Amino acid sequence: MSIEPKSAPTSANFLSFVGNATSLQVSQDFVERLPVAIYACDADGRILWFNSLAATLWGRSPLIGDDSEKYCGSYRLYTDGRRIRRDETPMATVLLTRTPVHGAEARVERPDGSSIWAMVHIDPVEDETGKLIGAINCFHETTALHNAKEDLSEFFENGAVSLHVVADNGTILQANQAELAMLGYAASEYVGHNINDYHLDQSVISDILDRLRAHQPISRYPARLQAKDGSVRHVLITSNGRARDRGTIGTRCFTIDVTDRADAEARLHEQERRLATTYEHAGSGIAEIDADGRLLRVNLRLCELMDMPADQLVGHSIFDETFSEDVEYDREQFQRQIAGLIDRYSIEKRVSRKDGSFFWTSVTSSSVRDPDGRFLYAVRVQHDITERKQVQEELDARIEEQAALYRLTDRLQHARSLGDVYELALDAIQEALRCQRSSILLYDSASILQFVAWRELSDAYRAAVEGHSPWKANEENPQPIYIADIGQAALPESLKQTILDEGIGAMAFIPVLDSGRLLGKFMAYFDQPHVFTDGETDVALALAHQLGFGIERMRAQKAAQHLVSIVESSHDAIVSKSLDGIITTWNRSAERLFGYAAKEVIGKSIAIIIPPDRMDEETEILRCIRTGEMIDHLETVRRRKDGSLVDISLTISPVRDAKGRIVGASKIARDITERKEAETRIRTSEQQLQNLLAAIPAAIYTTDARGKITYFNQAAVDFAGRVPVLGSDRWCVSPKLYWPDGTPLPRDKCPMAMALKEKRTVRGVEVVAERPDGTRIPFIPHPTPICDADGNIVGGINMLVDISERKQAETQQRMLLNELNHRVKNNMQMLQSLLSSAARRSKSEEARQILEDATGRISAMAAAQRVLYDTIDATKFSLPQFLDAVCAAVEQTLPSYAKITRKADAGELPNDAAMPLALIINELVTNAFKHGGTGEDEFNVRVSLLQEEGGDVLSVEDDGPGFELNSVRQRSSGLRLVEGLARQLGATFTVSSGSTTRCSVAFSRMAERAGLT
């Protein structure tokens, strides 16, 4: 920053400029410490000073006091897409009207052509007489938030799935192009109208809106819509209400067109009626039911399913053997069928047999009516789906386990503390293993296991079992331990009784490791005896691995941040050197003390700052360090860059490597000649500091060394919704604080408390404040301890940045992305399943081959789609992850002798390249095995995605007989598809044959396409 003028104003303006500059003058060190860009102008708009962060965002350093640089240091400034003059800037408006401007957003263009978006907060400044003497502007970059809003709007408008937003009263607020195209309406004919106008069944839309107002989500709700051309569109609606301040403000709806499927079901129903006379010989259970629900006639298969003869079944009610949980829905649908509201319905339910066992059955009930439409009887067709249900339940369990593991892995990347890691892990353990309780225990410094987090465990139980461990603290390769039935376990009676008294029927001990080192364990508790499956064991070990990684990452991050913060925020010069006296590190205080920048001295001898007559000191210092001695408060003299000498106090300690060997020395140097001068500067600037803090349009407060609030500005009062009590309130201006997950944050553990207790700045922490009226505000604090000349904490300063709007935008974007990913994935899985089923049933070899090829392509696309949505960045994907996922999917469709070897360079590509690349890989690999493999020996295909000569090359190579591209192009639809996809990507497709066959797709400057250059 510069607060000294680079050019002086002239004539009569000079005296006004100097007066305003003096009134608004601030401490250079203080302004540089502020975590926001800031500058000040006098009453005529001339720039008085600015900090380095402002110059960084502008991309330039304006001339202080120059009339050509009035109001703003930007090269060019745009609002509402229009470039504005300097006298149109927000600063000019504030100086003209004396009205503050808060939250205005503008685009700043830099001299190099780049630009950013920034939000400004400007307040006018008056002297004691009320005269305007200038204004102060605090601004910060909002480029990411601005782009996120535009991306979200574009995503909604151009999504492939039909989307619309409906207000609480049914008015359509917004609809995308897919929705309008499905129904054939223009936007003006649809948006702004009531959704009731387009639904053919008013009871359906009324039910949907009632559920959404009651905060009940709607999933795949069937409905009928009236298209503009008069046709009826059968759709499935998935929706959930948007709530704010405990009230519904609207709903977001995903609409899937299933008209073709509805028509097919109608035709199938007609066929079933015509075939009813042959039901006796069908492989499914068939019965005729009267209006009272009693069996009139049954076929042989139904008798077999019920394990009862026909004469005993006839006369029974269809609801007698139905499980109580399923009766209500079956009875309700049957009554609607009798009343003529529906002709047919299907249900899956459980039915009891005479011997007490039960089976799952899929029931389809169809009406038979006379020519006048009167109900005669219903035909119910039943299929035994018990085995399918068992498989489905097992599959659902595996999916839940994997989903819990994925959520844990994803959320751990955003954890900010060990407490976050523990809570996320406990959630995942109970979700994946479906246990009722859980806990995490870690070894302390004395190698004793201690509870660090738990769910639903009593104090007495924890006190009784804490410290118990099935493994030694230094045990190598510890294995999980499972106790399926506590009552039958070989445990000491006192311990067994303690566990049983807690209501625990089974438990699992899972070791938590990191790099082979045992950190502790997590426990899974079940209320009833429980047999652990192999799948649960695999998931438990995966959870333990992620937990160990998360714990060590947070510990390492905390230690690194703590160390860097101490060194960089230290008021003392901290320097490290090798045993040869070569400087290896040089902090900012060393730059200020000795005048050398770090880049000027790192790699050079420490002798550069030692006067010639004190060289013997360095020899003695190095001798002491090599023997492991510490030098404490050595008062000596050193030489600055400008040649002047400075009296300092040195503390020197040996630096050791991981094996304990001395590899260098660490020096702490303190300037003892300016100690008193520094104290004087602090006292004289105190009043000036408070004046500046009052003028800054951000919530700022200060505390003493004990955390008692000593000062706050008006912005802090507005933020907290209350007036803090000086000398009484401690740590924060807000009475209640929470972590982002809603967990209460004790005031003595808040960021300001940690900053003062640990003598370090705290950055990157997100907190939620609750005002006295109950409203909550997410914000990011910037607490910084204030030290005296001796490095002692004398107080702290904190600035609170409100991030409410950013959090709302991030939440909406993630919800939409997750919903779209779920829908696309389900549709791909359904399509792949339908194609596979059709291929198995086909009697035509040619048709079966076409369907199998299509299945492989869908599988490759699904693998690519998983990679796209598994990444945090929604615009590009990782090459290694992409290649592994697609090759794994292709390999599953190949014979057992087929092997795929893959190799990819580190890098990223834009999302629009994913699907073409996935299809190309599938076609080339499938073609290689189809024409090169014999089935007798293992056949290997090598797939690579590498950077070559400034571009990216996808290659598929095998040892098969090869082919000549021009000769096979016309008869191979797969190769024509590859060439078309290559043209779509702007790539070159080549084939070379020799000892090996190599197909290559070369991309030119793909890194630029991904926005990486």
Side-chain angles (χ1 to χ4, degrees), residues 956-975:
V956 177
E957 187 176 17
D958 63 81
D959 300 323
F963 62 94
E964 205 282 320
L965 179 61
N966 291 330
S967 63
V968 301
R969 178 183 286 115
Q970 296 304 318
R971 65 174 183 271
S972 173
S973 60
L975 288 176

Side-chain angles (χ1 to χ4, degrees), residues 268-427:
L268 179 61
H269 177 68
E270 183 64 22
Q271 293 174 357
E272 289 177 343
R273 292 183 59 186
R274 291 197 301 267
L275 296 175
T277 55
T278 61
Y279 78 97
E280 185 62 36
H281 303 287
S284 302
I286 303 175
E288 295 174 4
I289 313 299
D290 65 13
D292 295 325
R294 299 195 175 278
L295 297 166
L296 299 175
R297 183 181 178 188
V298 297
N299 73 344
L300 180 61
R301 178 55 180 161
L302 185 61
C303 294
E304 293 173 351
L305 290 175
M306 298 296 299
D307 194 22
M308 292 177 65
D311 58 347
Q312 293 183 22
L313 277 176
V314 172
H316 270 243
S317 170
I318 59 175
F319 308 114
D320 287 346
E321 284 76 30
T322 302
F323 271 41
S324 58
E325 295 90 339
D326 305 327
V327 166
E328 183 177 353
Y329 179 77
D330 195 5
R331 192 187 305 276
E332 176 187 348
Q333 295 302 306
F334 188 70
Q335 292 301 321
R336 294 182 67 207
Q337 185 176 17
I338 294 172
L341 299 177
I342 57 175
D343 288 328
R344 182 173 180 269
Y345 72 93
S346 297
I347 184 176
E348 292 181 358
K349 66 177 185 177
R350 288 161 292 179
V351 178
S352 299
R353 292 190 177 99
K354 183 172 60 177
D355 62 2
S357 63
F358 76 93
F359 66 97
W360 275 96
T361 179
S362 173
V363 179
T364 300
S365 179
S366 302
S367 299
V368 177
R369 300 182 183 277
D370 64 14
D372 296 327
R374 289 188 293 270
F375 179 87
L376 298 178
Y377 59 90
V379 176
R380 290 172 69 93
V381 180
Q382 297 186 190
H383 301 275
D384 185 355
I385 59 171
T386 304
E387 183 177 353
R388 192 198 81 189
K389 279 290 186 180
Q390 292 172 346
V391 172
Q392 182 178 332
E393 291 174 357
E394 184 67 18
L395 179 60
D396 290 343
R398 298 289 83 76
I399 292 175
E400 291 177 4
E401 293 169 357
Q402 294 303 315
L405 181 59
Y406 168 77
R407 284 191 294 272
L408 174 62
T409 303
D410 180 64
R411 293 171 180 172
L412 283 177
Q413 306 303 315
H414 307 287
R416 297 181 181 276
S417 66
L418 278 173
D420 290 346
V421 172
Y422 300 152
E423 290 304 312
L424 292 172
L426 292 177
D427 287 342

Side-chain angles (χ1 to χ4, degrees), residues 429 433 435 437-439 506-509 522-526 532:
I429 291 168
L433 301 182
C435 58
R437 287 172 276 185
S438 59
S439 66
M507 60 171 51
F509 302 72
F522 79 72
M523 301 289 300
Y525 309 92
F526 299 82
F532 298 87

